[in-house]
Amino acid sequence: AISLSQQLSGIFNVSSDSSISNMLVAEAILDKLKIKKNIVFTGDSWIGDSQKMLSDSSKLLEYGWDRMFDSPEEAVSHAVHF
């Protein structure tokens, strides 16, 4: 655990150690909110548009932080209910 007395500064990514697709995040949110809608793609995209999300949380791990969830899906489910 990170001590509240530690002086932290900078930007920290909070993430799992595996990737998750944007589609899976959207589907999980709709499912947890019990929304029955189809996800429609417009076909539009742009340079740098990502299909999956994967962040590097090694900086935060160096301070003793530990992940609460085993998968990105579990974290998304928890966040939706928060």
Side-chain angles (χ1 to χ4, degrees), residues 3-81:
S3 168
L4 293 178
S5 65
Q6 285 179 293
Q7 295 296 316
L8 301 178
S9 65
I11 298 171
F12 295 87
N13 292 319
V14 178
S15 69
S16 72
D17 60 352
S18 58
S19 66
I20 186 170
S21 73
N22 297 334
M23 180 66 153
L24 200 58
V25 171
E27 288 172 343
I29 291 169
L30 291 176
D31 182 57
K32 294 300 171 188
L33 295 177
K34 296 182 178 14
I35 297 173
K36 303 294 184 205
K37 297 282 183 178
N38 292 325
I39 298 172
V40 178
F41 291 94
T42 63
D44 295 336
S45 189
W46 56 89
I47 296 173
D49 189 11
S50 62
Q51 298 293 314
K52 288 188 171 193
M53 298 300 295
L54 177 61
S55 298
D56 178 7
S57 58
S58 60
K59 183 177 174 184
L60 196 53
L61 290 167
E62 290 175 9
Y63 284 94
W65 173 77
D66 195 15
R67 296 175 179 97
M68 291 177 57
F69 305 104
D70 294 327
S71 70
E73 294 85 358
E74 189 179 355
V76 168
S77 175
H78 179 77
V80 170
H81 286 289

